Amino acid sequence: TYTATNNGNALTTSSGKLRIDGEAPVVTLIAPDDNAQLNGNSQFRFVATDNLAPLLSCDFRVDGVIQTTVAAENGNTRNVTAVDAVEGTHTWSVSCRDQVSLTATTPERIYVNDKTPPTIQANTTNNSIIKEGTLIPFIVTDNNEVATVQFDFGNTTINGTTNTSINTSGIKDPI
């Protein structure tokens, strides 16, 4: 309550509620994990919590540079789409401010942006006809890492490695 009196002894009173915020928000990175392999469709996820603010202003950083600023509801997970960073290793972090500008910044996480698809070298030509039982060797390479290798022909699926030979014995033309 505020009270003011002038020299003529006239009195004015005003009252209300006041909250004092001395506690910074807490920001937790959810995904991707440190050292993750990502592409241009990846999502970065975090959650920001605060003792008073219903809405926080959060800066998403890549390599220490703010890429975008987003509003984050207190306690709710927030998604940010991966930026169009060049291929290679990058860092990401998030800083969030509450309504009185108290700020929290996460530690940086590392991610690898891999936008180049793998290459497949097969020892056949398109539309060729081969004898059943023929081995088809192929090599799969990538500038970072190959996750999976799969050969599909008609109703046959074979999982392989980066250096695989497919034996066509028992595989029939699906036509």
Side-chain angles (χ1 to χ4, degrees), residues 66-136:
I66 296 173
Q67 299 298 311
T68 189
T69 299
V70 297
E73 291 181 10
N74 188 354
N76 290 337
T77 299
R78 185 66 163 95
N79 294 332
V80 179
T81 302
V83 296
D84 193 23
V86 297
E87 281 198 318
T89 303
H90 300 280
T91 60
W92 74 284
S93 64
V94 176
S95 295
C96 293
R97 293 172 301 288
D98 64 15
Q99 58 199 21
V100 297
S101 295
L102 294 172
T103 304
T105 301
T106 65
E108 290 183 334
R109 283 191 184 173
I110 296 171
Y111 74 96
V112 176
N113 194 21
D114 183 6
K115 299 190 285 188
T116 303
T119 58
I120 301 171
Q121 297 172 331
N123 194 11
T124 62
T125 58
N126 196 19
N127 293 321
S128 44
I129 299 173
I130 60 172
K131 180 180 178 182
E132 181 185 359
T134 301
L135 289 178
I136 305 172

Short mmCIF file of all heavy atoms in Angstrom, two decimals, residues 66-136:
data_model
loop_
_atom_site.label_atom_id
_atom_site.label_comp_id
_atom_site.label_asym_id
_atom_site.label_seq_id
_atom_site.Cartn_x
_atom_site.Cartn_y
_atom_site.Cartn_z
N ILE A 66 22.55 -16.32 -33.22
CA ILE A 66 21.10 -16.48 -33.12
C ILE A 66 20.54 -16.72 -34.52
O ILE A 66 20.72 -15.92 -35.43
CB ILE A 66 20.45 -15.23 -32.50
CG1 ILE A 66 20.91 -15.05 -31.05
CG2 ILE A 66 18.91 -15.34 -32.55
CD1 ILE A 66 20.46 -13.75 -30.41
N GLN A 67 19.82 -17.85 -34.68
CA GLN A 67 19.18 -18.19 -35.94
C GLN A 67 17.72 -17.75 -35.96
O GLN A 67 17.20 -17.35 -36.98
CB GLN A 67 19.26 -19.70 -36.20
CG GLN A 67 20.67 -20.22 -36.29
CD GLN A 67 21.43 -19.62 -37.44
OE1 GLN A 67 20.95 -19.58 -38.57
NE2 GLN A 67 22.62 -19.11 -37.18
N THR A 68 17.07 -17.86 -34.80
CA THR A 68 15.67 -17.46 -34.67
C THR A 68 15.35 -17.24 -33.20
O THR A 68 16.00 -17.81 -32.33
CB THR A 68 14.72 -18.51 -35.30
OG1 THR A 68 13.40 -17.98 -35.34
CG2 THR A 68 14.72 -19.81 -34.53
N THR A 69 14.35 -16.40 -32.95
CA THR A 69 13.83 -16.18 -31.60
C THR A 69 12.38 -16.65 -31.60
O THR A 69 11.60 -16.27 -32.48
CB THR A 69 13.92 -14.70 -31.21
OG1 THR A 69 15.31 -14.31 -31.24
CG2 THR A 69 13.39 -14.47 -29.82
N VAL A 70 12.05 -17.50 -30.62
CA VAL A 70 10.71 -18.08 -30.55
C VAL A 70 10.12 -17.86 -29.17
O VAL A 70 10.85 -17.70 -28.19
CB VAL A 70 10.72 -19.59 -30.88
CG1 VAL A 70 11.19 -19.85 -32.30
CG2 VAL A 70 11.59 -20.36 -29.89
N ALA A 71 8.79 -17.85 -29.10
CA ALA A 71 8.09 -17.81 -27.82
C ALA A 71 7.92 -19.24 -27.33
O ALA A 71 7.58 -20.14 -28.11
CB ALA A 71 6.74 -17.13 -27.98
N ALA A 72 8.18 -19.46 -26.05
CA ALA A 72 8.03 -20.79 -25.46
C ALA A 72 7.14 -20.69 -24.23
O ALA A 72 7.40 -19.89 -23.33
CB ALA A 72 9.39 -21.36 -25.08
N GLU A 73 6.08 -21.50 -24.21
CA GLU A 73 5.20 -21.53 -23.05
C GLU A 73 5.91 -22.24 -21.90
O GLU A 73 6.58 -23.25 -22.11
CB GLU A 73 3.90 -22.26 -23.38
CG GLU A 73 3.01 -21.51 -24.35
CD GLU A 73 1.72 -22.25 -24.64
OE1 GLU A 73 1.41 -23.24 -23.95
OE2 GLU A 73 1.01 -21.82 -25.56
N ASN A 74 5.77 -21.69 -20.73
CA ASN A 74 6.40 -22.22 -19.53
C ASN A 74 6.07 -23.71 -19.35
O ASN A 74 4.91 -24.08 -19.27
CB ASN A 74 5.93 -21.43 -18.30
CG ASN A 74 6.68 -21.78 -17.04
OD1 ASN A 74 7.50 -22.69 -17.00
ND2 ASN A 74 6.41 -21.03 -15.99
N GLY A 75 7.10 -24.55 -19.34
CA GLY A 75 6.95 -25.97 -19.08
C GLY A 75 6.57 -26.83 -20.28
O GLY A 75 6.50 -28.05 -20.14
N ASN A 76 6.34 -26.23 -21.44
CA ASN A 76 5.96 -27.01 -22.63
C ASN A 76 7.14 -27.17 -23.57
O ASN A 76 7.95 -26.26 -23.73
CB ASN A 76 4.82 -26.32 -23.38
CG ASN A 76 3.52 -26.38 -22.61
OD1 ASN A 76 3.32 -27.24 -21.76
ND2 ASN A 76 2.62 -25.47 -22.91
N THR A 77 7.21 -28.33 -24.22
CA THR A 77 8.27 -28.59 -25.18
C THR A 77 8.09 -27.69 -26.40
O THR A 77 6.98 -27.53 -26.90
CB THR A 77 8.25 -30.07 -25.61
OG1 THR A 77 8.48 -30.87 -24.45
CG2 THR A 77 9.33 -30.37 -26.64
N ARG A 78 9.19 -27.13 -26.86
CA ARG A 78 9.18 -26.24 -28.04
C ARG A 78 10.07 -26.87 -29.11
O ARG A 78 11.17 -27.31 -28.83
CB ARG A 78 9.71 -24.86 -27.65
CG ARG A 78 9.65 -23.82 -28.75
CD ARG A 78 8.19 -23.49 -29.10
NE ARG A 78 8.06 -22.25 -29.84
CZ ARG A 78 8.00 -22.17 -31.17
NH1 ARG A 78 8.08 -23.26 -31.90
NH2 ARG A 78 7.85 -21.01 -31.76
N ASN A 79 9.58 -26.93 -30.36
CA ASN A 79 10.33 -27.47 -31.49
C ASN A 79 10.80 -26.33 -32.37
O ASN A 79 10.06 -25.37 -32.60
CB ASN A 79 9.46 -28.40 -32.34
CG ASN A 79 9.07 -29.65 -31.60
OD1 ASN A 79 9.77 -30.11 -30.72
ND2 ASN A 79 7.93 -30.20 -31.95
N VAL A 80 12.02 -26.44 -32.87
CA VAL A 80 12.57 -25.50 -33.84
C VAL A 80 13.14 -26.34 -34.98
O VAL A 80 13.89 -27.29 -34.75
CB VAL A 80 13.68 -24.63 -33.21
CG1 VAL A 80 14.26 -23.69 -34.24
CG2 VAL A 80 13.14 -23.85 -32.01
N THR A 81 12.79 -26.00 -36.21
CA THR A 81 13.28 -26.74 -37.37
C THR A 81 14.75 -26.43 -37.60
O THR A 81 15.19 -25.29 -37.42
CB THR A 81 12.47 -26.37 -38.63
OG1 THR A 81 11.10 -26.66 -38.36
CG2 THR A 81 12.92 -27.16 -39.83
N ALA A 82 15.49 -27.45 -38.01
CA ALA A 82 16.92 -27.29 -38.28
C ALA A 82 17.14 -26.19 -39.30
O ALA A 82 16.42 -26.09 -40.28
CB ALA A 82 17.50 -28.60 -38.79
N VAL A 83 18.14 -25.38 -39.05
CA VAL A 83 18.47 -24.32 -39.98
C VAL A 83 19.22 -24.90 -41.17
O VAL A 83 19.74 -26.00 -41.12
CB VAL A 83 19.32 -23.23 -39.30
CG1 VAL A 83 18.55 -22.56 -38.21
CG2 VAL A 83 20.62 -23.80 -38.77
N ASP A 84 19.28 -24.14 -42.23
CA ASP A 84 19.95 -24.60 -43.44
C ASP A 84 21.45 -24.36 -43.33
O ASP A 84 22.03 -23.60 -44.10
CB ASP A 84 19.36 -23.88 -44.65
CG ASP A 84 19.78 -24.53 -45.95
OD1 ASP A 84 20.12 -25.73 -45.93
OD2 ASP A 84 19.78 -23.85 -46.97
N ALA A 85 22.06 -25.00 -42.36
CA ALA A 85 23.50 -24.85 -42.15
C ALA A 85 24.25 -25.67 -43.19
O ALA A 85 23.74 -26.66 -43.72
CB ALA A 85 23.88 -25.32 -40.75
N VAL A 86 25.47 -25.27 -43.47
CA VAL A 86 26.30 -26.04 -44.39
C VAL A 86 26.61 -27.40 -43.78
O VAL A 86 26.49 -27.59 -42.57
CB VAL A 86 27.62 -25.28 -44.71
CG1 VAL A 86 27.33 -23.97 -45.41
CG2 VAL A 86 28.43 -25.04 -43.46
N GLU A 87 27.01 -28.32 -44.63
CA GLU A 87 27.36 -29.64 -44.12
C GLU A 87 28.55 -29.55 -43.18
O GLU A 87 29.41 -28.68 -43.34
CB GLU A 87 27.71 -30.59 -45.28
CG GLU A 87 26.49 -31.13 -45.96
CD GLU A 87 26.80 -32.35 -46.78
OE1 GLU A 87 27.83 -32.37 -47.47
OE2 GLU A 87 26.01 -33.27 -46.73
N GLY A 88 28.57 -30.44 -42.22
CA GLY A 88 29.70 -30.50 -41.31
C GLY A 88 29.26 -30.42 -39.86
O GLY A 88 28.08 -30.56 -39.53
N THR A 89 30.22 -30.21 -39.00
CA THR A 89 29.99 -30.19 -37.55
C THR A 89 29.60 -28.79 -37.09
O THR A 89 30.22 -27.80 -37.49
CB THR A 89 31.26 -30.66 -36.82
OG1 THR A 89 31.60 -31.98 -37.30
CG2 THR A 89 31.05 -30.72 -35.33
N HIS A 90 28.57 -28.74 -36.25
CA HIS A 90 28.06 -27.47 -35.72
C HIS A 90 27.73 -27.63 -34.24
O HIS A 90 27.64 -28.75 -33.73
CB HIS A 90 26.79 -27.04 -36.46
CG HIS A 90 27.00 -26.83 -37.93
ND1 HIS A 90 27.55 -25.68 -38.43
CD2 HIS A 90 26.77 -27.64 -38.99
CE1 HIS A 90 27.62 -25.77 -39.74
NE2 HIS A 90 27.17 -26.96 -40.11
N THR A 91 27.51 -26.50 -33.57
CA THR A 91 27.02 -26.52 -32.19
C THR A 91 25.66 -25.86 -32.16
O THR A 91 25.33 -25.04 -33.02
CB THR A 91 27.97 -25.75 -31.24
OG1 THR A 91 28.07 -24.39 -31.67
CG2 THR A 91 29.33 -26.40 -31.19
N TRP A 92 24.85 -26.23 -31.17
CA TRP A 92 23.55 -25.57 -30.97
C TRP A 92 23.31 -25.39 -29.48
O TRP A 92 23.81 -26.14 -28.65
CB TRP A 92 22.42 -26.34 -31.64
CG TRP A 92 21.99 -27.62 -30.98
CD1 TRP A 92 22.63 -28.82 -31.01
CD2 TRP A 92 20.80 -27.83 -30.21
NE1 TRP A 92 21.94 -29.77 -30.31
CE2 TRP A 92 20.80 -29.19 -29.82
CE3 TRP A 92 19.74 -27.02 -29.83
CZ2 TRP A 92 19.77 -29.74 -29.05
CZ3 TRP A 92 18.71 -27.57 -29.07
CH2 TRP A 92 18.74 -28.92 -28.69
N SER A 93 22.58 -24.32 -29.17
CA SER A 93 22.20 -24.03 -27.79
C SER A 93 20.96 -23.15 -27.80
O SER A 93 20.55 -22.65 -28.85
CB SER A 93 23.35 -23.33 -27.05
OG SER A 93 23.60 -22.07 -27.64
N VAL A 94 20.38 -22.95 -26.63
CA VAL A 94 19.18 -22.13 -26.48
C VAL A 94 19.36 -21.23 -25.26
O VAL A 94 19.83 -21.68 -24.21
CB VAL A 94 17.91 -23.00 -26.31
CG1 VAL A 94 16.68 -22.14 -26.07
CG2 VAL A 94 17.71 -23.90 -27.52
N SER A 95 18.98 -19.96 -25.41
CA SER A 95 18.93 -19.00 -24.30
C SER A 95 17.50 -18.52 -24.16
O SER A 95 16.88 -18.15 -25.17
CB SER A 95 19.83 -17.80 -24.56
OG SER A 95 21.17 -18.17 -24.62
N CYS A 96 16.96 -18.50 -22.94
CA CYS A 96 15.59 -18.03 -22.72
C CYS A 96 15.57 -16.93 -21.66
O CYS A 96 16.30 -17.01 -20.67
CB CYS A 96 14.69 -19.18 -22.28
SG CYS A 96 14.43 -20.43 -23.56
N ARG A 97 14.71 -15.92 -21.91
CA ARG A 97 14.52 -14.79 -20.99
C ARG A 97 13.09 -14.81 -20.48
O ARG A 97 12.15 -15.04 -21.25
CB ARG A 97 14.75 -13.46 -21.72
CG ARG A 97 16.16 -13.22 -22.16
CD ARG A 97 16.26 -11.98 -23.03
NE ARG A 97 15.45 -12.03 -24.25
CZ ARG A 97 15.71 -12.79 -25.31
NH1 ARG A 97 16.78 -13.58 -25.31
NH2 ARG A 97 14.94 -12.77 -26.36
N ASP A 98 12.93 -14.49 -19.19
CA ASP A 98 11.58 -14.34 -18.67
C ASP A 98 11.13 -12.89 -18.82
O ASP A 98 11.83 -12.08 -19.43
CB ASP A 98 11.48 -14.86 -17.23
CG ASP A 98 12.32 -14.09 -16.23
OD1 ASP A 98 12.78 -12.96 -16.55
OD2 ASP A 98 12.51 -14.59 -15.12
N GLN A 99 9.98 -12.54 -18.24
CA GLN A 99 9.41 -11.20 -18.46
C GLN A 99 10.18 -10.07 -17.81
O GLN A 99 9.96 -8.91 -18.12
CB GLN A 99 7.94 -11.18 -18.04
CG GLN A 99 7.71 -11.55 -16.60
CD GLN A 99 6.27 -11.96 -16.33
OE1 GLN A 99 5.55 -12.34 -17.24
NE2 GLN A 99 5.87 -11.89 -15.08
N VAL A 100 11.13 -10.39 -16.90
CA VAL A 100 11.97 -9.33 -16.32
C VAL A 100 13.41 -9.45 -16.82
O VAL A 100 14.33 -8.91 -16.23
CB VAL A 100 11.91 -9.34 -14.76
CG1 VAL A 100 10.51 -9.04 -14.28
CG2 VAL A 100 12.43 -10.66 -14.20
N SER A 101 13.59 -10.19 -17.91
CA SER A 101 14.87 -10.35 -18.61
C SER A 101 15.92 -11.15 -17.86
O SER A 101 17.11 -11.05 -18.18
CB SER A 101 15.44 -8.99 -19.03
OG SER A 101 14.58 -8.39 -19.97
N LEU A 102 15.51 -11.95 -16.89
CA LEU A 102 16.45 -12.92 -16.31
C LEU A 102 16.64 -14.01 -17.36
O LEU A 102 15.67 -14.47 -17.98
CB LEU A 102 15.91 -13.50 -15.01
CG LEU A 102 15.78 -12.49 -13.86
CD1 LEU A 102 15.04 -13.12 -12.69
CD2 LEU A 102 17.14 -11.99 -13.43
N THR A 103 17.89 -14.42 -17.58
CA THR A 103 18.23 -15.28 -18.71
C THR A 103 18.95 -16.54 -18.26
O THR A 103 19.75 -16.51 -17.34
CB THR A 103 19.11 -14.51 -19.71
OG1 THR A 103 18.42 -13.33 -20.10
CG2 THR A 103 19.43 -15.33 -20.94
N ALA A 104 18.67 -17.64 -18.98
CA ALA A 104 19.39 -18.90 -18.79
C ALA A 104 19.82 -19.39 -20.17
O ALA A 104 19.06 -19.30 -21.14
CB ALA A 104 18.52 -19.94 -18.12
N THR A 105 21.05 -19.92 -20.25
CA THR A 105 21.58 -20.44 -21.50
C THR A 105 22.05 -21.88 -21.28
O THR A 105 22.72 -22.17 -20.29
CB THR A 105 22.77 -19.59 -21.99
OG1 THR A 105 22.31 -18.25 -22.18
CG2 THR A 105 23.32 -20.11 -23.31
N THR A 106 21.71 -22.75 -22.20
CA THR A 106 22.11 -24.15 -22.09
C THR A 106 23.57 -24.31 -22.51
O THR A 106 24.10 -23.48 -23.26
CB THR A 106 21.27 -25.04 -23.02
OG1 THR A 106 21.54 -24.69 -24.38
CG2 THR A 106 19.79 -24.91 -22.72
N PRO A 107 24.21 -25.38 -22.06
CA PRO A 107 25.51 -25.73 -22.65
C PRO A 107 25.30 -26.10 -24.13
O PRO A 107 24.21 -26.52 -24.52
CB PRO A 107 25.96 -26.96 -21.85
CG PRO A 107 25.10 -27.00 -20.64
CD PRO A 107 23.82 -26.29 -20.99
N GLU A 108 26.33 -25.92 -24.93
CA GLU A 108 26.23 -26.26 -26.36
C GLU A 108 26.26 -27.77 -26.55
O GLU A 108 26.94 -28.48 -25.82
CB GLU A 108 27.39 -25.65 -27.13
CG GLU A 108 27.31 -24.14 -27.25
CD GLU A 108 28.43 -23.57 -28.10
OE1 GLU A 108 29.51 -24.19 -28.18
OE2 GLU A 108 28.21 -22.49 -28.68
N ARG A 109 25.52 -28.21 -27.56
CA ARG A 109 25.61 -29.59 -28.03
C ARG A 109 26.16 -29.56 -29.45
O ARG A 109 25.97 -28.60 -30.18
CB ARG A 109 24.24 -30.27 -28.05
CG ARG A 109 23.76 -30.69 -26.68
CD ARG A 109 22.55 -31.58 -26.80
NE ARG A 109 22.04 -31.91 -25.48
CZ ARG A 109 20.91 -32.58 -25.27
NH1 ARG A 109 20.18 -32.98 -26.30
NH2 ARG A 109 20.51 -32.85 -24.05
N ILE A 110 26.81 -30.64 -29.83
CA ILE A 110 27.40 -30.77 -31.16
C ILE A 110 26.46 -31.62 -32.02
O ILE A 110 25.87 -32.58 -31.54
CB ILE A 110 28.79 -31.43 -31.07
CG1 ILE A 110 29.74 -30.51 -30.28
CG2 ILE A 110 29.35 -31.75 -32.45
CD1 ILE A 110 31.06 -31.16 -29.94
N TYR A 111 26.34 -31.23 -33.29
CA TYR A 111 25.63 -32.08 -34.25
C TYR A 111 26.35 -32.01 -35.59
O TYR A 111 27.09 -31.07 -35.87
CB TYR A 111 24.16 -31.69 -34.40
CG TYR A 111 23.89 -30.41 -35.17
CD1 TYR A 111 23.58 -30.45 -36.53
CD2 TYR A 111 23.93 -29.18 -34.55
CE1 TYR A 111 23.32 -29.30 -37.24
CE2 TYR A 111 23.67 -28.01 -35.26
CZ TYR A 111 23.36 -28.08 -36.60
OH TYR A 111 23.11 -26.93 -37.30
N VAL A 112 26.15 -33.05 -36.40
CA VAL A 112 26.72 -33.11 -37.74
C VAL A 112 25.59 -32.98 -38.74
O VAL A 112 24.63 -33.76 -38.72
CB VAL A 112 27.51 -34.43 -37.97
CG1 VAL A 112 28.02 -34.49 -39.40
CG2 VAL A 112 28.65 -34.54 -36.98
N ASN A 113 25.66 -31.98 -39.59
CA ASN A 113 24.66 -31.77 -40.64
C ASN A 113 25.11 -32.53 -41.89
O ASN A 113 26.13 -32.21 -42.47
CB ASN A 113 24.50 -30.27 -40.92
CG ASN A 113 23.27 -29.97 -41.72
OD1 ASN A 113 22.34 -30.75 -41.75
ND2 ASN A 113 23.25 -28.82 -42.37
N ASP A 114 24.34 -33.55 -42.26
CA ASP A 114 24.69 -34.41 -43.41
C ASP A 114 23.55 -34.35 -44.42
O ASP A 114 22.50 -34.95 -44.23
CB ASP A 114 24.90 -35.85 -42.94
CG ASP A 114 25.33 -36.78 -44.06
OD1 ASP A 114 25.57 -36.31 -45.18
OD2 ASP A 114 25.42 -37.99 -43.79
N LYS A 115 23.74 -33.60 -45.49
CA LYS A 115 22.72 -33.43 -46.52
C LYS A 115 23.04 -34.19 -47.80
O LYS A 115 22.22 -34.23 -48.71
CB LYS A 115 22.54 -31.94 -46.85
CG LYS A 115 22.10 -31.11 -45.65
CD LYS A 115 21.70 -29.71 -46.05
CE LYS A 115 22.86 -28.84 -46.36
NZ LYS A 115 22.50 -27.43 -46.56
N THR A 116 24.23 -34.78 -47.90
CA THR A 116 24.62 -35.51 -49.11
C THR A 116 24.18 -36.96 -48.99
O THR A 116 24.58 -37.66 -48.07
CB THR A 116 26.15 -35.44 -49.30
OG1 THR A 116 26.54 -34.08 -49.35
CG2 THR A 116 26.56 -36.14 -50.57
N PRO A 117 23.36 -37.45 -49.94
CA PRO A 117 22.93 -38.85 -49.87
C PRO A 117 24.08 -39.81 -50.20
O PRO A 117 25.05 -39.41 -50.86
CB PRO A 117 21.83 -38.95 -50.93
CG PRO A 117 22.09 -37.81 -51.85
CD PRO A 117 22.78 -36.75 -51.07
N PRO A 118 23.98 -41.05 -49.74
CA PRO A 118 25.00 -42.05 -50.08
C PRO A 118 25.05 -42.31 -51.58
O PRO A 118 24.10 -42.04 -52.30
CB PRO A 118 24.54 -43.31 -49.33
CG PRO A 118 23.53 -42.86 -48.36
CD PRO A 118 22.94 -41.61 -48.89
N THR A 119 26.17 -42.86 -52.02
CA THR A 119 26.29 -43.29 -53.41
C THR A 119 26.33 -44.81 -53.45
O THR A 119 26.85 -45.45 -52.54
CB THR A 119 27.56 -42.73 -54.08
OG1 THR A 119 28.70 -43.16 -53.35
CG2 THR A 119 27.54 -41.21 -54.13
N ILE A 120 25.75 -45.36 -54.51
CA ILE A 120 25.72 -46.82 -54.68
C ILE A 120 26.45 -47.15 -55.97
O ILE A 120 26.11 -46.63 -57.04
CB ILE A 120 24.28 -47.35 -54.76
CG1 ILE A 120 23.52 -47.00 -53.48
CG2 ILE A 120 24.27 -48.86 -55.01
CD1 ILE A 120 22.03 -47.29 -53.56
N GLN A 121 27.46 -48.00 -55.87
CA GLN A 121 28.17 -48.49 -57.04
C GLN A 121 27.86 -49.97 -57.19
O GLN A 121 28.27 -50.78 -56.36
CB GLN A 121 29.68 -48.29 -56.88
CG GLN A 121 30.10 -46.84 -56.78
CD GLN A 121 31.57 -46.72 -56.43
OE1 GLN A 121 32.15 -47.56 -55.77
NE2 GLN A 121 32.17 -45.61 -56.87
N ALA A 122 27.08 -50.29 -58.22
CA ALA A 122 26.71 -51.69 -58.46
C ALA A 122 27.34 -52.15 -59.76
O ALA A 122 27.51 -51.37 -60.69
CB ALA A 122 25.19 -51.82 -58.54
N ASN A 123 27.67 -53.43 -59.81
CA ASN A 123 28.32 -53.99 -60.99
C ASN A 123 27.25 -54.53 -61.96
O ASN A 123 27.29 -55.67 -62.38
CB ASN A 123 29.28 -55.10 -60.57
CG ASN A 123 30.21 -55.49 -61.71
OD1 ASN A 123 30.27 -54.80 -62.72
ND2 ASN A 123 30.92 -56.59 -61.54
N THR A 124 26.25 -53.69 -62.26
CA THR A 124 25.24 -54.02 -63.26
C THR A 124 24.85 -52.73 -63.96
O THR A 124 25.16 -51.65 -63.50
CB THR A 124 23.97 -54.62 -62.63
OG1 THR A 124 23.39 -53.66 -61.76
CG2 THR A 124 24.24 -55.90 -61.88
N THR A 125 24.15 -52.86 -65.05
CA THR A 125 23.62 -51.68 -65.72
C THR A 125 22.10 -51.71 -65.65
O THR A 125 21.50 -52.78 -65.51
CB THR A 125 24.08 -51.62 -67.19
OG1 THR A 125 23.64 -52.80 -67.84
CG2 THR A 125 25.58 -51.48 -67.30
N ASN A 126 21.49 -50.56 -65.76
CA ASN A 126 20.05 -50.47 -65.70
C ASN A 126 19.43 -51.26 -66.86
O ASN A 126 19.93 -51.24 -67.97
CB ASN A 126 19.63 -49.00 -65.77
CG ASN A 126 18.20 -48.79 -65.33
OD1 ASN A 126 17.61 -49.64 -64.67
ND2 ASN A 126 17.64 -47.67 -65.70
N ASN A 127 18.34 -51.96 -66.59
CA ASN A 127 17.60 -52.76 -67.56
C ASN A 127 18.39 -53.96 -68.08
O ASN A 127 18.09 -54.48 -69.16
CB ASN A 127 17.12 -51.91 -68.75
CG ASN A 127 16.07 -50.91 -68.32
OD1 ASN A 127 15.22 -51.23 -67.50
ND2 ASN A 127 16.16 -49.70 -68.85
N SER A 128 19.42 -54.41 -67.36
CA SER A 128 20.14 -55.59 -67.83
C SER A 128 19.41 -56.86 -67.39
O SER A 128 18.63 -56.86 -66.45
CB SER A 128 21.59 -55.59 -67.33
OG SER A 128 21.70 -55.24 -66.00
N ILE A 129 19.66 -57.92 -68.10
CA ILE A 129 19.11 -59.24 -67.78
C ILE A 129 20.27 -60.11 -67.36
O ILE A 129 21.27 -60.23 -68.07
CB ILE A 129 18.38 -59.85 -69.01
CG1 ILE A 129 17.22 -58.95 -69.43
CG2 ILE A 129 17.91 -61.26 -68.69
CD1 ILE A 129 16.55 -59.37 -70.73
N ILE A 130 20.14 -60.70 -66.17
CA ILE A 130 21.22 -61.55 -65.65
C ILE A 130 20.67 -62.94 -65.34
O ILE A 130 19.48 -63.12 -65.16
CB ILE A 130 21.88 -60.92 -64.39
CG1 ILE A 130 20.85 -60.75 -63.27
CG2 ILE A 130 22.55 -59.60 -64.72
CD1 ILE A 130 21.45 -60.32 -61.96
N LYS A 131 21.57 -63.89 -65.27
CA LYS A 131 21.23 -65.28 -64.96
C LYS A 131 20.97 -65.43 -63.47
O LYS A 131 21.67 -64.83 -62.64
CB LYS A 131 22.38 -66.18 -65.41
CG LYS A 131 22.16 -67.63 -65.16
CD LYS A 131 23.36 -68.43 -65.64
CE LYS A 131 23.14 -69.89 -65.34
NZ LYS A 131 24.28 -70.69 -65.75
N GLU A 132 19.96 -66.24 -63.13
CA GLU A 132 19.69 -66.54 -61.73
C GLU A 132 20.94 -67.15 -61.11
O GLU A 132 21.62 -67.97 -61.73
CB GLU A 132 18.51 -67.50 -61.60
CG GLU A 132 18.19 -67.82 -60.15
CD GLU A 132 17.09 -68.86 -59.98
OE1 GLU A 132 16.53 -69.34 -60.98
OE2 GLU A 132 16.81 -69.20 -58.83
N GLY A 133 21.26 -66.75 -59.91
CA GLY A 133 22.44 -67.25 -59.22
C GLY A 133 23.65 -66.35 -59.39
O GLY A 133 24.69 -66.59 -58.79
N THR A 134 23.52 -65.30 -60.20
CA THR A 134 24.62 -64.36 -60.40
C THR A 134 24.81 -63.52 -59.14
O THR A 134 23.84 -63.09 -58.52
CB THR A 134 24.32 -63.43 -61.60
OG1 THR A 134 24.14 -64.24 -62.75
CG2 THR A 134 25.43 -62.43 -61.82
N LEU A 135 26.06 -63.32 -58.77
CA LEU A 135 26.36 -62.42 -57.65
C LEU A 135 26.42 -60.98 -58.17
O LEU A 135 27.05 -60.71 -59.20
CB LEU A 135 27.71 -62.77 -57.02
CG LEU A 135 27.77 -64.05 -56.21
CD1 LEU A 135 29.19 -64.28 -55.69
CD2 LEU A 135 26.81 -64.01 -55.04
N ILE A 136 25.74 -60.08 -57.50
CA ILE A 136 25.77 -58.66 -57.85
C ILE A 136 26.50 -57.93 -56.72
O ILE A 136 25.94 -57.70 -55.66
CB ILE A 136 24.35 -58.08 -58.00
CG1 ILE A 136 23.54 -58.87 -59.00
CG2 ILE A 136 24.42 -56.60 -58.38
CD1 ILE A 136 22.08 -58.47 -59.04
#
